[in-house]
PDB file of all heavy atoms in Angstrom:
ATOM      1  N   ASN U 135      71.118  13.950  29.771  1.00  0.00           N
ATOM      2  CA  ASN U 135      70.146  14.273  30.809  1.00  0.00           C
ATOM      3  C   ASN U 135      70.743  13.915  32.162  1.00  0.00           C
ATOM      4  O   ASN U 135      71.165  12.773  32.380  1.00  0.00           O
ATOM      5  CB  ASN U 135      68.867  13.448  30.626  1.00  0.00           C
ATOM      6  CG  ASN U 135      67.959  14.006  29.544  1.00  0.00           C
ATOM      7  OD1 ASN U 135      67.936  15.210  29.299  1.00  0.00           O
ATOM      8  ND2 ASN U 135      67.221  13.127  28.888  1.00  0.00           N
ATOM      9  N   ILE U 136      70.772  14.896  33.047  1.00  0.00           N
ATOM     10  CA  ILE U 136      71.186  14.624  34.427  1.00  0.00           C
ATOM     11  C   ILE U 136      69.931  14.512  35.280  1.00  0.00           C
ATOM     12  O   ILE U 136      69.062  15.392  35.232  1.00  0.00           O
ATOM     13  CB  ILE U 136      72.071  15.756  34.984  1.00  0.00           C
ATOM     14  CG1 ILE U 136      73.423  15.786  34.254  1.00  0.00           C
ATOM     15  CG2 ILE U 136      72.274  15.587  36.493  1.00  0.00           C
ATOM     16  CD1 ILE U 136      74.372  16.849  34.793  1.00  0.00           C
ATOM     17  N   ILE U 137      69.829  13.425  36.038  1.00  0.00           N
ATOM     18  CA  ILE U 137      68.740  13.295  37.013  1.00  0.00           C
ATOM     19  C   ILE U 137      69.356  13.504  38.385  1.00  0.00           C
ATOM     20  O   ILE U 137      70.275  12.780  38.782  1.00  0.00           O
ATOM     21  CB  ILE U 137      68.085  11.897  36.970  1.00  0.00           C
ATOM     22  CG1 ILE U 137      67.853  11.411  35.535  1.00  0.00           C
ATOM     23  CG2 ILE U 137      66.803  11.889  37.792  1.00  0.00           C
ATOM     24  CD1 ILE U 137      66.939  12.245  34.713  1.00  0.00           C
ATOM     25  N   LEU U 138      68.839  14.493  39.092  1.00  0.00           N
ATOM     26  CA  LEU U 138      69.349  14.806  40.418  1.00  0.00           C
ATOM     27  C   LEU U 138      68.318  14.352  41.454  1.00  0.00           C
ATOM     28  O   LEU U 138      67.122  14.556  41.273  1.00  0.00           O
ATOM     29  CB  LEU U 138      69.563  16.331  40.512  1.00  0.00           C
ATOM     30  CG  LEU U 138      70.216  16.884  41.764  1.00  0.00           C
ATOM     31  CD1 LEU U 138      71.678  16.458  41.840  1.00  0.00           C
ATOM     32  CD2 LEU U 138      70.146  18.418  41.757  1.00  0.00           C
ATOM     33  N   LEU U 139      68.812  13.728  42.512  1.00  0.00           N
ATOM     34  CA  LEU U 139      67.918  13.271  43.582  1.00  0.00           C
ATOM     35  C   LEU U 139      68.599  13.623  44.898  1.00  0.00           C
ATOM     36  O   LEU U 139      69.808  13.456  45.029  1.00  0.00           O
ATOM     37  CB  LEU U 139      67.738  11.747  43.468  1.00  0.00           C
ATOM     38  CG  LEU U 139      66.773  11.086  44.439  1.00  0.00           C
ATOM     39  CD1 LEU U 139      65.332  11.425  44.065  1.00  0.00           C
ATOM     40  CD2 LEU U 139      66.944   9.566  44.434  1.00  0.00           C
ATOM     41  N   SER U 140      67.825  14.130  45.879  1.00  0.00           N
ATOM     42  CA  SER U 140      68.454  14.429  47.161  1.00  0.00           C
ATOM     43  C   SER U 140      68.043  13.370  48.187  1.00  0.00           C
ATOM     44  O   SER U 140      66.979  12.750  48.049  1.00  0.00           O
ATOM     45  CB  SER U 140      68.051  15.827  47.639  1.00  0.00           C
ATOM     46  OG  SER U 140      66.657  15.913  47.772  1.00  0.00           O
ATOM     47  N   VAL U 141      68.880  13.178  49.196  1.00  0.00           N
ATOM     48  CA  VAL U 141      68.659  12.063  50.127  1.00  0.00           C
ATOM     49  C   VAL U 141      67.367  12.215  50.937  1.00  0.00           C
ATOM     50  O   VAL U 141      66.844  11.227  51.447  1.00  0.00           O
ATOM     51  CB  VAL U 141      69.855  11.861  51.096  1.00  0.00           C
ATOM     52  CG1 VAL U 141      71.121  11.554  50.323  1.00  0.00           C
ATOM     53  CG2 VAL U 141      70.041  13.065  52.008  1.00  0.00           C
ATOM     54  N   THR U 142      66.854  13.445  51.030  1.00  0.00           N
ATOM     55  CA  THR U 142      65.615  13.618  51.791  1.00  0.00           C
ATOM     56  C   THR U 142      64.387  13.126  51.029  1.00  0.00           C
ATOM     57  O   THR U 142      63.286  13.085  51.565  1.00  0.00           O
ATOM     58  CB  THR U 142      65.410  15.110  52.145  1.00  0.00           C
ATOM     59  OG1 THR U 142      65.555  15.880  50.948  1.00  0.00           O
ATOM     60  CG2 THR U 142      66.421  15.576  53.159  1.00  0.00           C
ATOM     61  N   GLU U 143      64.584  12.748  49.768  1.00  0.00           N
ATOM     62  CA  GLU U 143      63.423  12.338  48.954  1.00  0.00           C
ATOM     63  C   GLU U 143      63.112  10.843  49.049  1.00  0.00           C
ATOM     64  O   GLU U 143      62.046  10.415  48.642  1.00  0.00           O
ATOM     65  CB  GLU U 143      63.665  12.698  47.480  1.00  0.00           C
ATOM     66  CG  GLU U 143      63.695  14.197  47.236  1.00  0.00           C
ATOM     67  CD  GLU U 143      64.206  14.522  45.836  1.00  0.00           C
ATOM     68  OE1 GLU U 143      63.525  14.168  44.872  1.00  0.00           O
ATOM     69  OE2 GLU U 143      65.292  15.100  45.728  1.00  0.00           O
ATOM     70  N   GLY U 144      64.058  10.030  49.488  1.00  0.00           N
ATOM     71  CA  GLY U 144      63.792   8.591  49.580  1.00  0.00           C
ATOM     72  C   GLY U 144      64.481   7.804  48.477  1.00  0.00           C
ATOM     73  O   GLY U 144      64.509   8.222  47.327  1.00  0.00           O
ATOM     74  N   ASP U 145      65.044   6.623  48.885  1.00  0.00           N
ATOM     75  CA  ASP U 145      65.847   5.854  47.930  1.00  0.00           C
ATOM     76  C   ASP U 145      65.008   5.027  46.948  1.00  0.00           C
ATOM     77  O   ASP U 145      65.531   4.370  46.063  1.00  0.00           O
ATOM     78  CB  ASP U 145      66.868   4.961  48.652  1.00  0.00           C
ATOM     79  CG  ASP U 145      66.233   4.149  49.771  1.00  0.00           C
ATOM     80  OD1 ASP U 145      65.051   3.770  49.623  1.00  0.00           O
ATOM     81  OD2 ASP U 145      66.916   3.910  50.793  1.00  0.00           O
ATOM     82  N   ASP U 146      63.670   5.077  47.124  1.00  0.00           N
ATOM     83  CA  ASP U 146      62.803   4.322  46.198  1.00  0.00           C
ATOM     84  C   ASP U 146      62.329   5.164  45.018  1.00  0.00           C
ATOM     85  O   ASP U 146      61.583   4.675  44.177  1.00  0.00           O
ATOM     86  CB  ASP U 146      61.587   3.764  46.956  1.00  0.00           C
ATOM     87  CG  ASP U 146      60.719   4.865  47.569  1.00  0.00           C
ATOM     88  OD1 ASP U 146      61.189   6.030  47.639  1.00  0.00           O
ATOM     89  OD2 ASP U 146      59.594   4.575  47.976  1.00  0.00           O
TER      90      ASP U 146
END
Side-chain angles (χ1 to χ4, degrees):
Chain U
N135 281 330
I136 292 182
I137 317 298
L138 186 68
L139 184 73
S140 59
V141 300
T142 51
E143 293 169 65
D145 49 33
D146 61 346

